[in-house]
Amino acid sequence: MINSRVESLFGYTREELIGRELAFIAPKRFHAATQKIEGEFVELPWTDAMSKGIDLFALKKDGSELPIEIGINPIDLDTGALVLLSVLDLTERKRNEDLIEARDRAINLSQMKTAFVANISHELRTPLSGILGMNELLLGMELSAEQLEIAEAIRDSSQALLRIVNDVLDIAKIEAGKVALSSEKLSISDVVHQSLRVVNEAAKAKNIKLVSTVDQCRPAYLIGDPERIKQILINLLGNAVKFTSQGQVSLEATCENDDDKTISVRFTVRDTGAGMDGEKLKALFRPFSQVAETYTGRSIGTGLGLSICKSLVEAMNGRIGVDSVKGSGSVFWFVIPLRRWDRNALQSASGQYINADINAISGSVGSDGLSHSDTTAGAASATAVERSVLLVEDSPLLRVLAIKQLEKLGVRSQIVGSGLEAVELIKTRIFDLIFMD
């Protein structure tokens, strides 16, 4: 007796299957196994899945194979013993298993790629920092006009490469879900003006005017991640300057939708550039999406900046967008919620404050992440000479660089190559300041 489901499953009619051995619907590679199982069942009947523990396939009339599971059940009747075979089609189950396996492989490959990119990016940053730092020392020396031009080209090229490495590292962190956001006291006005300073030279070189408008938020201080906000603003401002040949670039910060705990801040970057059409707008925030310069037709940049901006804004529970019309410039904006600041807010977030008096050491940190010191005669004060600094750095190149930079500041320093050495040293000596990554 054969039901209609078996007929549709294998493509045979009932008449073609009645009286056939099980091997009739089994591929040749399973013939020996099916005959062995049939013989064992005749000797000692059991109730179980025939294909338990193995991948069993049936042969359809059209020659294709079908993954199945066969159940064997003995039935004792007055007229004699019968065997009930039940066939389960495993096609969907196998397809799901294959999809799960493919998904797991893809996840593993993605994790391996992310780890590789993060590691290689970190390894690239160390020699790049050495190149930038040593070149900065070189720029502080007396150079001929030709030497100065070469040194400045090295600086500009190295900084461009460092920005690319930083973008790649950020993408790797974002894909790995390891974007770390800080909670710090910040001033919207400070964030805006510091971001504008970074792109000021590029704007001056193209005779583009920079304009800013900052709404007076209340309270004056909020809690958020000022460095990540500046990263987004610098990227948007840099793009605006890059793609604007004349006119101005403006940055506006306004406060809206405030409640007892948070204030939503909208940042808007407007330019008078060439603008974009709808097709380009759709792809803007995708990784590796590039827009060509209007006047050269050449795609520039890595195409990662706006994708990173989008991910960072979303990590802050905000939203980002763009409005642009071909020939009428572009308006990029993002809105992020920031917590209201009070004296206890950061205390509860971080647990404690750490205060350090470093005013005696002259120098500042530039947009390239390196210290820029006053190299004029007498810049090193007597107070600075009295300060002692411990620097922990495992890179020989960066150790040499740090020594030279600190010497220019007139700071007495000691450098060790590991955290363990530093721990042992501070047991016997007191340092005014410790630098370590």
Side-chain angles (χ1 to χ4, degrees):
M1 184 173 65
I2 296 173
N3 65 9
S4 58
R5 175 59 180 152
V6 172
E7 289 182 299
S8 62
L9 194 61
F10 292 102
Y12 290 104
T13 64
R14 184 178 289 107
E15 290 74 19
E16 289 175 308
L17 290 175
I18 290 176
R20 297 285 189 175
E21 294 181 352
L22 189 59
F24 178 71
I25 59 169
K28 287 184 178 180
R29 66 182 183 278
F30 290 111
H31 282 184
T34 55
Q35 289 170 358
K36 181 175 181 292
I37 292 173
E38 284 179 337
E40 291 174 351
F41 183 80
V42 171
E43 293 292 330
L44 183 63
W46 75 88
T47 302
D48 206 346
M50 177 179 174
S51 56
K52 186 176 182 180
I54 64 171
D55 290 326
L56 186 63
F57 288 83
L59 190 65
K60 298 171 68 173
K61 187 174 183 178
D62 62 8
S64 61
E65 294 187 2
L66 180 75
I68 61 169
E69 183 176 281
I70 296 180
I72 305 178
N73 298 279
I75 300 176
D76 292 324
L77 299 175
D78 294 339
T79 55
L82 294 177
V83 177
L84 175 65
L85 293 181
S86 58
V87 180
L88 178 63
D89 183 2
L90 301 182
T91 301
E92 284 300 319
R93 183 193 297 178
K94 289 289 184 182
R95 183 180 293 119
N96 290 337
E97 289 174 354
D98 290 343
L99 288 173
I100 291 172
E101 184 180 350
R103 181 206 62 189
D104 292 342
R105 281 200 306 269
I107 291 173
N108 289 335
L109 286 172
S110 178
Q111 290 173 341
M112 290 173 61
K113 180 207 70 175
T114 299
F116 171 77
V117 170
N119 288 336
I120 199 68
S121 298
H122 177 76
E123 293 303 317
L124 285 171
R125 285 166 64 111
T126 298
L128 267 175
S129 297
I131 293 170
L132 282 164
M134 290 298 187
N135 193 68
E136 182 187 16
L137 294 176
L138 183 62
L139 285 167
M141 301 177 182
E142 289 189 11
L143 303 175
S144 67
E146 183 181 8
Q147 290 170 334
L148 180 61
E149 183 180 359
I150 293 171
E152 288 177 341
I154 293 172
R155 177 198 60 197
D156 295 343
S157 298
S158 299
Q159 288 177 347
L161 182 55
L162 183 59
R163 284 192 291 271
I164 293 172
V165 171
N166 288 339
D167 282 350
V168 172
L169 186 58
D170 276 337
I171 281 291
K173 289 180 179 178
I174 289 167
E175 288 183 348
K178 295 181 179 178
V179 177
L181 298 175
S182 66
S183 293
E184 303 175 29
K185 175 183 175 182
L186 63 86
S187 160
I188 297 299
S189 179
D190 289 346
V191 167
V192 166
H193 293 142
Q194 289 166 14
S195 300
L196 287 169
R197 276 204 298 268
V198 174
V199 301
N200 186 49
E201 289 302 318
K204 278 185 179 179
K206 299 180 69 174
N207 199 29
I208 295 171
K209 184 179 180 181
L210 293 180
V211 180
S212 66
T213 304
V214 180
D215 194 6
Q216 295 301 314
C217 297
R218 291 290 182 269
Y221 294 102
L222 302 170
I223 296 177
D225 190 329
E227 294 307 314
R228 290 298 191 181
I229 297 173
K230 283 189 286 185
Q231 181 180 355
I232 299 166
L233 288 174
I234 290 168
N235 193 293
L236 298 180
L237 288 167
N239 284 345
V241 171
K242 186 189 303 179
F243 293 106
T244 300
S245 56
Q246 60 181 0
Q248 71 175 31
V249 170
S250 66
L251 170 56
E252 181 181 3
T254 56
C255 300
E256 55 186 40
N257 300 329
D258 59 323
D259 57 36
D260 292 339
K261 294 183 178 180
T262 62
I263 295 177
S264 292
V265 182
R266 175 182 286 268
F267 296 92
T268 306
V269 176
R270 290 183 173 86
D271 65 58
T272 55
M276 291 167 284
D277 55 31
E279 289 302 314
K280 290 179 181 177
L281 290 177
K282 292 178 183 177
L284 268 186
F285 294 100
R286 298 174 190 163
F288 306 106
S289 174
Q290 296 173 305
V291 176
E293 289 179 309
T294 303
Y295 45 89
T296 66
R298 179 174 61 91
S299 293
I300 54 178
T302 61
L304 294 174
L306 290 177
S307 175
I308 292 171
C309 289
K310 182 174 185 293
S311 297
L312 292 177
V313 168
E314 290 175 349
M316 299 180 198
N317 298 316
R319 61 189 191 279
I320 187 170
V322 58
D323 301 301
S324 184
V325 177
K326 188 75 172 177
S328 301
S330 301
V331 179
F332 283 84
W333 57 268
F334 66 96
V335 181
I336 52 173
L338 298 173
R339 287 161 49 210
R340 291 176 176 272
W341 180 81
D342 62 66
R343 295 187 179 276
N344 298 320
L346 288 178
Q347 182 87 30
S348 61
S350 62
Q352 61 178 345
Y353 292 105
I354 299 177
N355 296 310
D357 180 11
I358 59 173
N359 293 326
I361 300 178
S362 61
S364 62
V365 177
S367 61
D368 55 4
L370 298 170
S371 64
H372 296 267
S373 58
D374 182 358
T375 58
T376 58
S381 67
T383 306
V385 175
E386 297 170 0
R387 299 291 180 177
S388 62
V389 171
L390 172 63
L391 187 138
V392 188
E393 177 56 60
D394 60 354
S395 168
L397 172 62
L398 296 186
R399 284 202 295 267
V400 173
L401 173 61
I403 290 173
K404 292 184 178 296
Q405 288 181 324
L406 290 171
E407 284 176 350
K408 290 184 68 173
L409 293 171
V411 177
R412 181 164 42 89
S413 64
Q414 183 162 347
I415 299 183
V416 295
S418 69
L420 185 60
E421 292 178 81
V423 171
E424 292 300 319
L425 189 58
I426 61 176
K427 290 179 181 178
T428 59
R429 287 191 55 184
I430 296 176
F431 293 93
D432 297 295
L433 187 63
I434 299 175
F435 289 113
M436 66 186 301
D437 59 18

